[in-house]
């Protein structure tokens, strides 16, 4: 960002999120890290939480202590099909963010 002189308002962070049900998508213009280590790290580097983020839910349906296997494991065919359909929506959100910005994109996609 520094090298290319990209302002934080032109940055969209994408993360997987255990705190959201599988396939749930959340787009926000700012906010806390909600316990997400990746967002904590980004906050520390940028020294702000005023950056847009797209969170993709991967659910928390795993036994205690098996988080890594869940995150890096394989999806069932049913899960994979649902995830692929949600990824199409994510691609549309990313394109929209790049062309019309966060506020209009949130208006367009954050419908229930």
């Amino acid at each position: 960002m520094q090298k290319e002189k990209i302002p934080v308002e032109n940055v969209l962070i994408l993360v997987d999120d255990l705190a959201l049900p599988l396939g749930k998508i959340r787009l926000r213009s700012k906010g806390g890290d909600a316990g997400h280590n990746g967002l904590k790290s980004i906050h520390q580097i940028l020294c702000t939480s005023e950056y847009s983020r797209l969170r993709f839910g991967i659910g928390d349906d795993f036994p205690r202590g098996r988080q890594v296997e869940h995150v890096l494991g394989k999806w069932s065919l049913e899960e994979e099909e649902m995830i692929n359909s949600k990824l199409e929506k994510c691609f549309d959100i990313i394109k929209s963010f790049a062309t019309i910005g966060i506020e209009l994109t949130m208006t367009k996609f954050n419908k229930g």
Side-chain angles (χ1 to χ4, degrees), residues 94-105:
I94 294 165
K95 287 185 237 177
S96 179
F97 174 85
T99 55
I100 64 174
I102 187 64
E103 296 302 326
L104 291 174
T105 300

Side-chain angles (χ1 to χ4, degrees), residues 31-101:
D33 57 53
H36 191 285
N37 290 333
L39 293 178
K40 282 180 191 174
S41 177
I42 291 165
H43 180 111
Q44 288 175 335
I45 292 167
L46 297 180
C47 298
T48 184
S49 62
E50 302 278 323
Y51 56 86
S52 300
R53 74 274 322 268
L54 178 60
R55 296 168 49 207
F56 191 100
I58 60 170
D60 62 359
D61 187 23
F62 56 89
R64 184 177 175 95
R66 304 300 265 240
Q67 179 175 339
V68 172
E69 287 138 4
H70 176 70
V71 172
L72 300 177
K74 293 203 180 268
W75 303 109
S76 71
L77 183 58
E78 182 180 284
E79 291 170 328
E80 205 170 306
E81 288 173 356
M82 187 272 295
I83 289 168
N84 285 336
S85 72
K86 296 292 185 168
L87 286 176
E88 290 298 322
K89 182 176 180 181
C90 288
F91 299 149
D92 292 339
I93 290 171
I94 294 165
K95 287 185 237 177
S96 179
F97 174 85
T99 55
I100 64 174

